[in-house]
PDB file of all heavy atoms in Angstrom:
ATOM      1  N   ARG A   1      82.875  97.527 101.262  1.00  0.00           N
ATOM      2  CA  ARG A   1      83.468  97.227  99.998  1.00  0.00           C
ATOM      3  C   ARG A   1      83.138  95.877  99.515  1.00  0.00           C
ATOM      4  O   ARG A   1      83.161  94.877 100.378  1.00  0.00           O
ATOM      5  CB  ARG A   1      84.995  97.402 100.118  1.00  0.00           C
ATOM      6  CG  ARG A   1      85.477  98.805 100.367  1.00  0.00           C
ATOM      7  CD  ARG A   1      86.950  98.895 100.712  1.00  0.00           C
ATOM      8  NE  ARG A   1      87.278  98.120 101.957  1.00  0.00           N
ATOM      9  CZ  ARG A   1      88.530  97.989 102.471  1.00  0.00           C
ATOM     10  NH1 ARG A   1      89.556  98.682 101.892  1.00  0.00           N
ATOM     11  NH2 ARG A   1      88.673  97.350 103.517  1.00  0.00           N
ATOM     12  N   VAL A   2      82.671  95.686  98.290  1.00  0.00           N
ATOM     13  CA  VAL A   2      82.272  94.442  97.825  1.00  0.00           C
ATOM     14  C   VAL A   2      83.308  93.953  96.745  1.00  0.00           C
ATOM     15  O   VAL A   2      83.598  94.733  95.898  1.00  0.00           O
ATOM     16  CB  VAL A   2      80.905  94.510  97.134  1.00  0.00           C
ATOM     17  CG1 VAL A   2      80.336  93.133  96.686  1.00  0.00           C
ATOM     18  CG2 VAL A   2      79.905  95.065  98.226  1.00  0.00           C
ATOM     19  N   ALA A   3      83.712  92.684  96.790  1.00  0.00           N
ATOM     20  CA  ALA A   3      84.637  92.245  95.893  1.00  0.00           C
ATOM     21  C   ALA A   3      84.334  90.787  95.524  1.00  0.00           C
ATOM     22  O   ALA A   3      83.833  89.926  96.307  1.00  0.00           O
ATOM     23  CB  ALA A   3      86.147  92.278  96.363  1.00  0.00           C
ATOM     24  N   PHE A   4      84.613  90.435  94.262  1.00  0.00           N
ATOM     25  CA  PHE A   4      84.504  89.049  93.771  1.00  0.00           C
ATOM     26  C   PHE A   4      85.904  88.518  93.661  1.00  0.00           C
ATOM     27  O   PHE A   4      86.710  88.951  92.892  1.00  0.00           O
ATOM     28  CB  PHE A   4      83.757  88.983  92.461  1.00  0.00           C
ATOM     29  CG  PHE A   4      82.326  89.360  92.542  1.00  0.00           C
ATOM     30  CD1 PHE A   4      81.955  90.731  92.645  1.00  0.00           C
ATOM     31  CD2 PHE A   4      81.273  88.378  92.535  1.00  0.00           C
ATOM     32  CE1 PHE A   4      80.653  91.084  92.715  1.00  0.00           C
ATOM     33  CE2 PHE A   4      80.020  88.748  92.714  1.00  0.00           C
ATOM     34  CZ  PHE A   4      79.643  90.131  92.790  1.00  0.00           C
ATOM     35  N   LEU A   5      86.144  87.473  94.529  1.00  0.00           N
ATOM     36  CA  LEU A   5      87.529  86.955  94.656  1.00  0.00           C
ATOM     37  C   LEU A   5      87.507  85.465  94.597  1.00  0.00           C
ATOM     38  O   LEU A   5      86.372  84.820  94.765  1.00  0.00           O
ATOM     39  CB  LEU A   5      88.126  87.405  96.108  1.00  0.00           C
ATOM     40  CG  LEU A   5      88.107  88.914  96.308  1.00  0.00           C
ATOM     41  CD1 LEU A   5      88.354  89.198  97.818  1.00  0.00           C
ATOM     42  CD2 LEU A   5      89.154  89.542  95.444  1.00  0.00           C
ATOM     43  N   GLY A   6      88.734  84.838  94.278  1.00  0.00           N
ATOM     44  CA  GLY A   6      88.747  83.481  94.115  1.00  0.00           C
ATOM     45  C   GLY A   6      89.820  82.866  95.048  1.00  0.00           C
ATOM     46  O   GLY A   6      90.770  83.427  95.486  1.00  0.00           O
ATOM     47  N   GLY A   7      89.524  81.493  95.353  1.00  0.00           N
ATOM     48  CA  GLY A   7      90.556  80.752  96.144  1.00  0.00           C
ATOM     49  C   GLY A   7      90.898  81.447  97.538  1.00  0.00           C
ATOM     50  O   GLY A   7      90.096  82.033  98.155  1.00  0.00           O
ATOM     51  N   SER A   8      92.184  81.178  97.897  1.00  0.00           N
ATOM     52  CA  SER A   8      92.691  81.865  99.154  1.00  0.00           C
ATOM     53  C   SER A   8      93.101  83.333  98.821  1.00  0.00           C
ATOM     54  O   SER A   8      93.885  83.545  97.928  1.00  0.00           O
ATOM     55  CB  SER A   8      93.975  81.051  99.591  1.00  0.00           C
ATOM     56  OG  SER A   8      94.467  81.739 100.738  1.00  0.00           O
ATOM     57  N   HIS A   9      92.432  84.309  99.486  1.00  0.00           N
ATOM     58  CA  HIS A   9      92.641  85.654  99.146  1.00  0.00           C
ATOM     59  C   HIS A   9      93.086  86.504 100.333  1.00  0.00           C
ATOM     60  O   HIS A   9      92.809  87.692 100.391  1.00  0.00           O
ATOM     61  CB  HIS A   9      91.414  86.261  98.473  1.00  0.00           C
ATOM     62  CG  HIS A   9      90.108  85.968  99.210  1.00  0.00           C
ATOM     63  ND1 HIS A   9      89.362  84.785  99.043  1.00  0.00           N
ATOM     64  CD2 HIS A   9      89.378  86.727 100.082  1.00  0.00           C
ATOM     65  CE1 HIS A   9      88.324  84.806  99.840  1.00  0.00           C
ATOM     66  NE2 HIS A   9      88.324  85.899 100.579  1.00  0.00           N
ATOM     67  N   GLY A  10      93.592  85.856 101.340  1.00  0.00           N
ATOM     68  CA  GLY A  10      94.276  86.574 102.361  1.00  0.00           C
ATOM     69  C   GLY A  10      93.475  86.991 103.619  1.00  0.00           C
ATOM     70  O   GLY A  10      93.966  87.593 104.521  1.00  0.00           O
ATOM     71  N   ASP A  11      92.186  86.468 103.721  1.00  0.00           N
ATOM     72  CA  ASP A  11      91.428  86.914 104.936  1.00  0.00           C
ATOM     73  C   ASP A  11      91.050  85.683 105.892  1.00  0.00           C
ATOM     74  O   ASP A  11      90.329  85.839 106.764  1.00  0.00           O
ATOM     75  CB  ASP A  11      90.086  87.592 104.473  1.00  0.00           C
ATOM     76  CG  ASP A  11      89.264  86.734 103.577  1.00  0.00           C
ATOM     77  OD1 ASP A  11      89.558  85.536 103.501  1.00  0.00           O
ATOM     78  OD2 ASP A  11      88.307  87.275 103.081  1.00  0.00           O
ATOM     79  N   GLY A  12      91.652  84.564 105.578  1.00  0.00           N
ATOM     80  CA  GLY A  12      91.328  83.370 106.434  1.00  0.00           C
ATOM     81  C   GLY A  12      90.021  82.597 106.071  1.00  0.00           C
ATOM     82  O   GLY A  12      89.775  81.645 106.711  1.00  0.00           O
ATOM     83  N   TYR A  13      89.343  83.085 105.061  1.00  0.00           N
ATOM     84  CA  TYR A  13      88.198  82.417 104.570  1.00  0.00           C
ATOM     85  C   TYR A  13      88.347  82.045 103.068  1.00  0.00           C
ATOM     86  O   TYR A  13      87.689  82.607 102.253  1.00  0.00           O
ATOM     87  CB  TYR A  13      86.909  83.163 104.764  1.00  0.00           C
ATOM     88  CG  TYR A  13      86.557  83.412 106.291  1.00  0.00           C
ATOM     89  CD1 TYR A  13      87.001  84.600 106.914  1.00  0.00           C
ATOM     90  CD2 TYR A  13      85.892  82.442 107.027  1.00  0.00           C
ATOM     91  CE1 TYR A  13      86.804  84.841 108.265  1.00  0.00           C
ATOM     92  CE2 TYR A  13      85.577  82.683 108.339  1.00  0.00           C
ATOM     93  CZ  TYR A  13      86.051  83.872 108.928  1.00  0.00           C
ATOM     94  OH  TYR A  13      85.691  84.111 110.276  1.00  0.00           O
ATOM     95  N   PRO A  14      89.104  81.043 102.707  1.00  0.00           N
ATOM     96  CA  PRO A  14      89.392  80.754 101.314  1.00  0.00           C
ATOM     97  C   PRO A  14      88.121  80.304 100.604  1.00  0.00           C
ATOM     98  O   PRO A  14      87.315  79.563 101.282  1.00  0.00           O
ATOM     99  CB  PRO A  14      90.486  79.803 101.360  1.00  0.00           C
ATOM    100  CG  PRO A  14      90.298  79.048 102.670  1.00  0.00           C
ATOM    101  CD  PRO A  14      89.815  80.154 103.592  1.00  0.00           C
ATOM    102  N   PHE A  15      87.881  80.581  99.354  1.00  0.00           N
ATOM    103  CA  PHE A  15      86.852  80.054  98.574  1.00  0.00           C
ATOM    104  C   PHE A  15      87.358  78.784  97.900  1.00  0.00           C
ATOM    105  O   PHE A  15      88.580  78.458  97.748  1.00  0.00           O
ATOM    106  CB  PHE A  15      86.365  81.026  97.467  1.00  0.00           C
ATOM    107  CG  PHE A  15      85.631  82.142  98.069  1.00  0.00           C
ATOM    108  CD1 PHE A  15      86.053  83.508  97.838  1.00  0.00           C
ATOM    109  CD2 PHE A  15      84.490  81.967  98.907  1.00  0.00           C
ATOM    110  CE1 PHE A  15      85.259  84.618  98.356  1.00  0.00           C
ATOM    111  CE2 PHE A  15      83.802  83.063  99.462  1.00  0.00           C
ATOM    112  CZ  PHE A  15      84.206  84.306  99.157  1.00  0.00           C
ATOM    113  N   ASP A  16      86.338  77.921  97.537  1.00  0.00           N
ATOM    114  CA  ASP A  16      86.752  76.655  97.018  1.00  0.00           C
ATOM    115  C   ASP A  16      86.165  76.247  95.670  1.00  0.00           C
ATOM    116  O   ASP A  16      85.928  75.106  95.350  1.00  0.00           O
ATOM    117  CB  ASP A  16      86.097  75.603  98.004  1.00  0.00           C
ATOM    118  CG  ASP A  16      84.635  75.734  98.310  1.00  0.00           C
ATOM    119  OD1 ASP A  16      84.010  76.621  97.561  1.00  0.00           O
ATOM    120  OD2 ASP A  16      84.031  75.153  99.193  1.00  0.00           O
ATOM    121  N   GLY A  17      86.057  77.282  94.778  1.00  0.00           N
ATOM    122  CA  GLY A  17      85.615  77.004  93.435  1.00  0.00           C
ATOM    123  C   GLY A  17      84.064  76.927  93.431  1.00  0.00           C
ATOM    124  O   GLY A  17      83.371  77.280  94.398  1.00  0.00           O
ATOM    125  N   MET A  18      83.515  76.505  92.267  1.00  0.00           N
ATOM    126  CA  MET A  18      82.045  76.530  92.171  1.00  0.00           C
ATOM    127  C   MET A  18      81.341  75.598  93.065  1.00  0.00           C
ATOM    128  O   MET A  18      81.831  74.452  93.421  1.00  0.00           O
ATOM    129  CB  MET A  18      81.659  76.016  90.685  1.00  0.00           C
ATOM    130  CG  MET A  18      80.167  76.224  90.389  1.00  0.00           C
ATOM    131  SD  MET A  18      79.732  75.862  88.630  1.00  0.00           S
ATOM    132  CE  MET A  18      80.627  77.205  87.791  1.00  0.00           C
ATOM    133  N   GLY A  19      80.263  75.993  93.719  1.00  0.00           N
ATOM    134  CA  GLY A  19      79.600  75.226  94.796  1.00  0.00           C
ATOM    135  C   GLY A  19      80.366  75.454  96.061  1.00  0.00           C
ATOM    136  O   GLY A  19      81.253  76.349  96.250  1.00  0.00           O
ATOM    137  N   GLY A  20      79.937  74.766  97.112  1.00  0.00           N
ATOM    138  CA  GLY A  20      80.663  74.911  98.404  1.00  0.00           C
ATOM    139  C   GLY A  20      80.218  76.286  99.045  1.00  0.00           C
ATOM    140  O   GLY A  20      79.174  76.658  99.081  1.00  0.00           O
ATOM    141  N   THR A  21      81.266  76.952  99.362  1.00  0.00           N
ATOM    142  CA  THR A  21      81.114  78.338 100.039  1.00  0.00           C
ATOM    143  C   THR A  21      80.945  79.363  98.947  1.00  0.00           C
ATOM    144  O   THR A  21      81.644  79.453  97.894  1.00  0.00           O
ATOM    145  CB  THR A  21      82.356  78.736 100.917  1.00  0.00           C
ATOM    146  OG1 THR A  21      83.540  78.644 100.132  1.00  0.00           O
ATOM    147  CG2 THR A  21      82.461  77.748 102.146  1.00  0.00           C
ATOM    148  N   LEU A  22      79.959  80.241  99.233  1.00  0.00           N
ATOM    149  CA  LEU A  22      79.523  81.283  98.186  1.00  0.00           C
ATOM    150  C   LEU A  22      79.957  82.659  98.506  1.00  0.00           C
ATOM    151  O   LEU A  22      80.363  83.425  97.559  1.00  0.00           O
ATOM    152  CB  LEU A  22      78.079  81.275  98.140  1.00  0.00           C
ATOM    153  CG  LEU A  22      77.294  79.951  97.777  1.00  0.00           C
ATOM    154  CD1 LEU A  22      75.803  80.126  97.793  1.00  0.00           C
ATOM    155  CD2 LEU A  22      77.806  79.384  96.460  1.00  0.00           C
ATOM    156  N   GLY A  23      80.140  82.952  99.760  1.00  0.00           N
ATOM    157  CA  GLY A  23      80.542  84.394 100.169  1.00  0.00           C
ATOM    158  C   GLY A  23      80.673  84.432 101.625  1.00  0.00           C
ATOM    159  O   GLY A  23      80.352  83.559 102.344  1.00  0.00           O
ATOM    160  N   HIS A  24      81.174  85.573 102.085  1.00  0.00           N
ATOM    161  CA  HIS A  24      81.244  85.881 103.543  1.00  0.00           C
ATOM    162  C   HIS A  24      81.474  87.395 103.587  1.00  0.00           C
ATOM    163  O   HIS A  24      81.815  88.084 102.694  1.00  0.00           O
ATOM    164  CB  HIS A  24      82.432  85.184 104.169  1.00  0.00           C
ATOM    165  CG  HIS A  24      83.747  85.338 103.490  1.00  0.00           C
ATOM    166  ND1 HIS A  24      84.438  84.328 102.767  1.00  0.00           N
ATOM    167  CD2 HIS A  24      84.630  86.407 103.373  1.00  0.00           C
ATOM    168  CE1 HIS A  24      85.504  84.749 102.246  1.00  0.00           C
ATOM    169  NE2 HIS A  24      85.708  85.965 102.587  1.00  0.00           N
ATOM    170  N   ALA A  25      81.159  87.860 104.805  1.00  0.00           N
ATOM    171  CA  ALA A  25      81.306  89.331 105.069  1.00  0.00           C
ATOM    172  C   ALA A  25      81.795  89.486 106.546  1.00  0.00           C
ATOM    173  O   ALA A  25      81.657  88.612 107.369  1.00  0.00           O
ATOM    174  CB  ALA A  25      79.932  90.030 104.931  1.00  0.00           C
ATOM    175  N   PHE A  26      82.339  90.631 106.796  1.00  0.00           N
ATOM    176  CA  PHE A  26      82.878  90.995 108.048  1.00  0.00           C
ATOM    177  C   PHE A  26      82.047  91.902 108.961  1.00  0.00           C
ATOM    178  O   PHE A  26      81.478  92.824 108.441  1.00  0.00           O
ATOM    179  CB  PHE A  26      84.311  91.653 107.876  1.00  0.00           C
ATOM    180  CG  PHE A  26      85.290  90.641 107.201  1.00  0.00           C
ATOM    181  CD1 PHE A  26      85.363  90.549 105.850  1.00  0.00           C
ATOM    182  CD2 PHE A  26      86.050  89.796 107.947  1.00  0.00           C
ATOM    183  CE1 PHE A  26      86.127  89.717 105.224  1.00  0.00           C
ATOM    184  CE2 PHE A  26      86.999  88.931 107.364  1.00  0.00           C
ATOM    185  CZ  PHE A  26      87.014  88.870 105.930  1.00  0.00           C
ATOM    186  N   PHE A  27      81.942  91.637 110.219  1.00  0.00           N
ATOM    187  CA  PHE A  27      81.060  92.384 111.111  1.00  0.00           C
ATOM    188  C   PHE A  27      81.503  93.774 111.196  1.00  0.00           C
ATOM    189  O   PHE A  27      82.753  94.111 111.110  1.00  0.00           O
ATOM    190  CB  PHE A  27      80.991  91.655 112.415  1.00  0.00           C
ATOM    191  CG  PHE A  27      80.387  90.348 112.452  1.00  0.00           C
ATOM    192  CD1 PHE A  27      81.031  89.194 112.946  1.00  0.00           C
ATOM    193  CD2 PHE A  27      79.184  90.116 111.843  1.00  0.00           C
ATOM    194  CE1 PHE A  27      80.418  87.958 112.911  1.00  0.00           C
ATOM    195  CE2 PHE A  27      78.508  88.863 111.801  1.00  0.00           C
ATOM    196  CZ  PHE A  27      79.179  87.804 112.292  1.00  0.00           C
ATOM    197  N   PRO A  28      80.749  94.753 111.635  1.00  0.00           N
ATOM    198  CA  PRO A  28      81.175  96.087 111.889  1.00  0.00           C
ATOM    199  C   PRO A  28      82.181  96.213 113.002  1.00  0.00           C
ATOM    200  O   PRO A  28      82.136  95.440 114.019  1.00  0.00           O
ATOM    201  CB  PRO A  28      79.885  96.811 112.341  1.00  0.00           C
ATOM    202  CG  PRO A  28      78.777  95.939 111.726  1.00  0.00           C
ATOM    203  CD  PRO A  28      79.285  94.531 111.768  1.00  0.00           C
ATOM    204  N   GLY A  29      83.307  97.050 112.821  1.00  0.00           N
ATOM    205  CA  GLY A  29      84.216  97.214 113.809  1.00  0.00           C
ATOM    206  C   GLY A  29      85.277  96.180 114.020  1.00  0.00           C
ATOM    207  O   GLY A  29      85.994  96.146 115.047  1.00  0.00           O
ATOM    208  N   VAL A  30      85.315  95.108 113.121  1.00  0.00           N
ATOM    209  CA  VAL A  30      86.206  93.990 113.249  1.00  0.00           C
ATOM    210  C   VAL A  30      87.346  94.124 112.233  1.00  0.00           C
ATOM    211  O   VAL A  30      87.236  93.706 111.152  1.00  0.00           O
ATOM    212  CB  VAL A  30      85.492  92.651 113.066  1.00  0.00           C
ATOM    213  CG1 VAL A  30      86.483  91.571 113.300  1.00  0.00           C
ATOM    214  CG2 VAL A  30      84.374  92.543 114.050  1.00  0.00           C
ATOM    215  N   GLY A  31      88.476  94.886 112.626  1.00  0.00           N
ATOM    216  CA  GLY A  31      89.643  94.932 111.807  1.00  0.00           C
ATOM    217  C   GLY A  31      89.438  95.844 110.560  1.00  0.00           C
ATOM    218  O   GLY A  31      88.432  96.491 110.387  1.00  0.00           O
ATOM    219  N   PRO A  32      90.485  95.876 109.746  1.00  0.00           N
ATOM    220  CA  PRO A  32      90.490  96.742 108.548  1.00  0.00           C
ATOM    221  C   PRO A  32      89.401  96.293 107.528  1.00  0.00           C
ATOM    222  O   PRO A  32      89.103  97.083 106.570  1.00  0.00           O
ATOM    223  CB  PRO A  32      91.919  96.633 107.962  1.00  0.00           C
ATOM    224  CG  PRO A  32      92.360  95.368 108.506  1.00  0.00           C
ATOM    225  CD  PRO A  32      91.836  95.169 109.841  1.00  0.00           C
ATOM    226  N   SER A  33      88.965  95.109 107.580  1.00  0.00           N
ATOM    227  CA  SER A  33      87.997  94.626 106.596  1.00  0.00           C
ATOM    228  C   SER A  33      86.505  94.791 107.104  1.00  0.00           C
ATOM    229  O   SER A  33      85.565  94.181 106.570  1.00  0.00           O
ATOM    230  CB  SER A  33      88.224  93.140 106.251  1.00  0.00           C
ATOM    231  OG  SER A  33      89.398  93.002 105.722  1.00  0.00           O
ATOM    232  N   SER A  34      86.306  95.579 108.208  1.00  0.00           N
ATOM    233  CA  SER A  34      85.043  95.762 108.806  1.00  0.00           C
ATOM    234  C   SER A  34      83.938  96.126 107.713  1.00  0.00           C
ATOM    235  O   SER A  34      84.166  97.011 106.942  1.00  0.00           O
ATOM    236  CB  SER A  34      85.206  96.938 109.806  1.00  0.00           C
ATOM    237  OG  SER A  34      83.936  97.303 110.240  1.00  0.00           O
ATOM    238  N   GLY A  35      82.929  95.338 107.681  1.00  0.00           N
ATOM    239  CA  GLY A  35      81.759  95.557 106.832  1.00  0.00           C
ATOM    240  C   GLY A  35      81.922  95.051 105.387  1.00  0.00           C
ATOM    241  O   GLY A  35      81.037  95.014 104.567  1.00  0.00           O
TER     242      GLY A  35
END
């Protein structure tokens, strides 16, 4: 599942606005957010 999210969105990897961190993804088989 692909989503465009902002700020702190509940997965422990908050975004920080323009610049800085751009994205992240979850490895296969790791919790309900797997992939």
Side-chain angles (χ1 to χ4, degrees):
R1 297 171 296 182
V2 182
F4 291 80
L5 305 168
S8 178
H9 49 278
D11 62 8
Y13 295 95
F15 288 127
D16 53 6
M18 189 178 292
T21 55
L22 305 177
H24 52 251
F26 296 87
F27 298 126
V30 181
S33 298
S34 171

